[in-house]
Amino acid sequence: MASPGSLDAESESFEPRPFFTIGQHDSNRRETLTDDHYRHILNSGFHFATTPITNDHFKQRVVDLYKSFLKEREQWGLDLSNQSLPGPVVSTLTDEDTNYGPGTYVGSLVAYCSPWIDLCSSNPLIASISRQVLNLELAYASFAGARNIIIPGPRRDDGNAAVVRYARAVREGLQVASRINIIIHMPMYREPRLEEKAETLSQLVGEAGAADPGKEQEIDIFTSWDSWHTIRSVCDYAARLYVALRIPRRVPEKVLQGRWFAEPLYYLTVGAEIFQKNPAGYPSLSRHHQELIASYMRFRNPPSLLLSDVGPDADAFANQMALEFPSLAEASQALKENRRPTVPMNPYVSYIKHLERSQEPFSALDTQSLLSFQDWLQSPLQPLADNLESATYEVFEGDPVKYNQYELAIAKAMIDWREQKLPTAQDGTNSDLVVAVAGAGRGPLVTRVLRAAESTGTSIQLWALEKNQNAYVYLLGMNKRVWNNKVTVVKTDMRGWEGPKVPGYDSLISKVDILVTELLGSFGDNELSPECLDGIQRHLSQPHGISIPSSYTAHLSPIATPKIFADLSSRVTGTPDAFETPWVTLLYAIDFVAQKVPDHPRFQQAWEFSHPVGLLRADEFAEEAGMAAKYVPPGVGSMYGSSGANDHNTRYCHLTFVCPTRGVIHGLAGYFESVLYAPHSGKEPVEISILPDQIDRKSKDMISWFPIFFPLKKPMYFPQDTELEVSMWRQTDDTKVWYEWIVEAYAWVGPKTRLKVGESELHTSRNVGCRF
Amino acid sequence: MASPGSLDAESESFEPRPFFTIGQHDSNRRETLTDDHYRHILNSGFHFATTPITNDHFKQRVVDLYKSFLKEREQWGLDLSNQSLPGPVVSTLTDEDTNYGPGTYVGSLVAYCSPWIDLCSSNPLIASISRQVLNLELAYASFAGARNIIIPGPRRDDGNAAVVRYARAVREGLQVASRINIIIHMPMYREPRLEEKAETLSQLVGEAGAADPGKEQEIDIFTSWDSWHTIRSVCDYAARLYVALRIPRRVPEKVLQGRWFAEPLYYLTVGAEIFQKNPAGYPSLSRHHQELIASYMRFRNPPSLLLSDVGPDADAFANQMALEFPSLAEASQALKENRRPTVPMNPYVSYIKHLERSQEPFSALDTQSLLSFQDWLQSPLQPLADNLESATYEVFEGDPVKYNQYELAIAKAMIDWREQKLPTAQDGTNSDLVVAVAGAGRGPLVTRVLRAAESTGTSIQLWALEKNQNAYVYLLGMNKRVWNNKVTVVKTDMRGWEGPKVPGYDSLISKVDILVTELLGSFGDNELSPECLDGIQRHLSQPHGISIPSSYTAHLSPIATPKIFADLSSRVTGTPDAFETPWVTLLYAIDFVAQKVPDHPRFQQAWEFSHPVGLLRADEFAEEAGMAAKYVPPGVGSMYGSSGANDHNTRYCHLTFVCPTRGVIHGLAGYFESVLYAPHSGKEPVEISILPDQIDRKSKDMISWFPIFFPLKKPMYFPQDTELEVSMWRQTDDTKVWYEWIVEAYAWVGPKTRLKVGESELHTSRNVGCRF
């Protein structure tokens, strides 16, 4: 790595990269910044800085209050354990308690609450005073115009409800500072010898250390996350509550990095002690630290970097000022001339700016669309019920990967057909292969079929079916302008199509050899591909007729996604079904809690659909298959009101996911894969996949589908060595299709003992199911 | 115990006792009952009987359908593992499939679903057919007019999601039979050799036994309850879903009896095999069985008893009929003459009727009021904000126990005062003891003060304060008519009272020696006794002034109460705060999940209030105590918008409850105790208590307070050896008081390992808090 000094920002190309906002925090700062000091910090390359809200005078006043209170109680001979005795009340701030206040920069200063308060204390008086101080500071910072306030996190993570007490105080703080972001400063994990150094109120007043860091013991790297989880849970996943994550000296395992990745990171705080010196003596970060930071900076709204105790501190500033402005007269002269003092860039900032320039640029895909869709929730399309608009089709058509795979599949099918010398549906009339594109939209698949026919030298008779009368107009135009009238365009719902009539033999109804459709949703079958194909497959020739796609599978994985949970929680009043809707979303800030172990992969197949089905759809069953009428509906299906006609398209799965570390889940991520065509020869099938661990191999850069997300109404906490058992159903009542899901948690607590530790409700999307 | 034959119902006294409704179930019944047969059963002493919905013809049809389906699939060479293949659909019922239908008795016949269906099966075809049969039967029974339908429970409780599949089918069944009670037949526990005997569909078609009872292993007596819990959870605690509980041969431990006690029991099913023969050869039940049944029969709506396979069966009936009606002519003659055939009472019924007569009669309290209040939810009174009505006062006054304790406390205080020769507030003027009843209502405590003064020979000056102007009128009348004008009645909020002015010395304001109030709620402080007493205690003489009550404590215990949870779930749409309201309710169908262990009792004290407080309320603090103004509000209290003036009345507790067996909780039961007066001598204090384990000792038969219930929004499941950690707060913002509560669950899974396994939300009653 080159030293920062050798790099020139102007020489860099202008490819878009993550933008690093850099803040300055000085843990020894005791008074708010003067305007001069703040300007000096900005001139050193920082974008913003933190400020304490109150000063040492206030701190001393609180300490004195507590001490004299105890003393006077003693003098009065009062029983301290009597809960009914009034405790001390911290009176409101005066101008002696703070230098902070409304001013030019106040909105860009980040307020930092007094680190000496002890909201966790088991001493009710200490805890009460701490809450009062917190509320005084939050209220005053709100008044002054702060937009972001950092509260130092709890000092310890262990039990006795200390963290719950802390969390309850923060919850009230969100109400006291009702329009401000509250950011909890948490270490990534409790790294030994990296505890908060500021003395707590308990220590200041000489109480037995309610905030002792505790004896050193085996490090459990998840305790800090546990505390954060408790805090945000008690605060109901408030939208204004964030984390300032302290980067540790030693970068932890990926599983912990991934856990925090899903949390609402507002700042990454990086202390001077994290930096190394490079050979030239400049501060730099280890490769692991660089990678950690890089991974957290690729969000649409990446966290800001808050550098702690890297200077310039107040002393350095004073010295600097003394150099620059030897006299007041000169200083005011400099100001008058609007002369900007030339402050050298802070070396830590220089390094971070170098790091910024060395970030991997965003891909074209990222910048054009994907970034803006991170974790953004969409209702799934209902293409069967609604007519899509041209712009929607255009988005779909913009994915070359998908259509290339389709063309490849069609071409392979045509070659197979020829090589195997199969009879076509048309044999006896002419030998053209009959191809139908059902649900042709604006025709991208029609184009690909024509290309495949040309490239393979196959003569075909091509039908394009479309139910959307608006797209139909477009198809007619395409046929004239682009396809040389080679296509028979039919305006019909594919389920009501009469089949390909042989030209010149109008009384004969022929069959289709290759049926091409693109009806798949993010979960495969969720846009009713099975029901639609049921309705047309009677026109497929037997026994050789081919459906492209030939099969598709749905896949699941449980995930933690606190941001989406918070989003849904805020919607549920207006959208009561928000937690029982499968949402299409580019899942990004998520944590896959399940680990891959033998027999239990991280992504597991829920079920499969394949086409054509060996027997036709149920109401054709008897006729086509010659079976007895006793199998035929009407009967009573599995669901209320159904006759069982679509029961063969129900599915059920029971999957077990293994979670070695404790955590929480907010729902299930859903994906699909599809075999578009599997050559008869057993050669490699043509596939598409949106599975995170398969997409690069099977259909790299395909962007037509985001994953689907099945939420849980309540976050589900689970201990280490838990197996999450997911039951999911695809249900139907002959008029619509919906999903149901339930999760149970079982923890292994010994080689033979597995305890049930939790259960979700049964969730159902029946209310928002897909009609057909 | 006398043999049933020797008892005569008519000779019994007419004290009200639980009423036993007795039903008849015949597990070999294959057809619905004829009218004659049903009449015969009723004549044998039963109140109702069960009937199958479909017959053997239908069962055979279903078995044949499945078998021929498999066979034909095989003939067609279809891949059975292909999920896309349509499965068999059971066509609708015909008149060959059932003899059951609309008729005279149908509403009083309990429909019993086919026991051979296997909703748990992991074979999707078997499970699907079973669901179809269930839906056909439920739909038909609904049509026919059934009011109650029993579904045989799952055959096994073990995992692989079998019970979840069963539960999902029942959930749909509730929709198919949309106005009918569905009752799941569950064994109390899986008693070896007491499995369901009916063959399942899987067995009938020769499939590997998906419903095998499994190899005999160590009995876990909670597995059956687990299954029920899963079923009702998946069914969202539906109000129409009940249990028919099969009484086992061997009565299990109390902890399991208590678990089922809290569940919605609709039937207790008692098989012939449970009965013993008494010396006279008649059937009878063991003492344990009698006690078990007795405990379940004291509900306001007790379950019915369903006797299984105790005759008269169809054969017996036929024989009987043959005896009674040797010819059709005679039979019709008998009918014409409205001659009721004399059928001997079934001996099992005789025994049950004997048992009924030997039940302990309801107490007067039970019959007058308590029975009707079982688990009925009331919002707590807000006597401070609302003026009570005379009838409400009258109810309160109807509790002699409470007022006797008050009188005792007042008398003891008066005696103490005299024996200790304490100066009265009036000394120097006259030596009358000044007594004030604050919040006098209609005057019951005034009466008791006068009685205590008389019985102890104390001369007093008595003040009665009342803010309710309507009750004030009543008090004035009482003073003239009953109290001989001995009382000075003042219309005032006690917090605004000017104090007792000495008669004839109008400029002097005296003090109160004994202040008597009855401001306690079910949780002690929940009707704002602390805040009210704060507002009046400056009138109490110092240092000897006495408050009656002198202190009170709040107590908690976590409970399972599925019926109340279901009730709240049904209210939550109209009452969004239903799950964040502390409800006053006569908790009855509950299960205390916490066991008493050293250091962790079942009922634990949350906090205490004592009066008078050593220092007066905060805004009097500086003046009275001579302390520096720095302790004095205004400041910022712990809560948004507060100035800390009432912060000394906040409370916090963190309690740990121990649960050795796994289970579920739906909330926290709250109670209070109060020391009305603790004699100076250290003699036994005068107390009242509503704690279940203390009330009989401290204030037996006191009925003024029901417990309070703090709900949880979601039932919280926990494994064995769990510690439930409850954090609770009494919060205030100077304008109102509310509670907050959160529960965390930690399981011990080894001598040193304690895992967090669950957590509730933080619940708050802020929205429904008590204003003051």
Side-chain angles (χ1 to χ4, degrees), chain A residues 514-535:
Chain A
I514 299 180
L515 174 67
V516 187
T517 55
E518 48 171 334
L519 306 167
L520 299 177
S522 298
F523 202 48
D525 54 87
N526 60 304
E527 293 180 10
L528 307 190
S529 177
E531 283 73 16
C532 292
L533 290 178
D534 269 4

Side-chain angles (χ1 to χ4, degrees), chain A residues 71-132:
Chain A
K71 203 167 135 201
E72 289 170 16
R73 269 204 180 182
E74 216 171 291
Q75 287 170 346
W76 279 73
L78 297 173
D79 175 10
L80 281 176
S81 69
N82 182 340
Q83 293 182 316
S84 294
L85 288 176
V89 173
V90 182
S91 61
T92 50
L93 299 179
T94 70
D95 58 345
E96 286 183 303
D97 296 321
T98 180
N99 312 68
Y100 175 75
T104 322
Y105 300 117
V106 75
S108 54
L109 286 176
V110 173
Y112 201 100
C113 288
S114 288
W116 46 267
I117 61 175
D118 189 357
L119 300 165
C120 292
S121 177
S122 57
N123 174 334
L125 292 178
I126 297 278
S128 164
I129 291 179
S130 298
R131 287 196 303 271
Q132 294 174 49

Side-chain angles (χ1 to χ4, degrees), chain A residues 68-69 76 83 135 161 165 168 172 229 608 610 625 631 637-638 640 652 654 714 740 759 761 766, chain B residues 68-69 76 83-84 135 161 165 168 172 229 608 625 631 637-638 640 652 654 714 740 759 761 766:
Chain A
S68 63
F69 180 86
W76 279 73
Q83 293 182 316
N135 289 353
R165 285 193 295 267
R168 180 60 190 84
E172 197 64 24
H229 172 66
E608 179 174 20
S610 55
Y631 302 128
S638 296
Y640 173 64
Y652 165 74
H654 177 71
K714 295 289 158 194
E740 301 188 353
E759 57 193 6
E761 284 183 42
R766 198 169 196 160
Chain B
S68 62
F69 180 84
W76 278 73
Q83 293 182 316
S84 295
N135 288 354
R165 284 193 294 267
R168 180 61 191 83
E172 197 63 25
H229 173 65
E608 179 174 21
Y631 302 129
S638 297
Y640 173 65
Y652 165 74
H654 177 72
K714 294 289 157 193
E740 300 187 353
E759 58 194 5
E761 284 183 45
R766 198 169 198 160

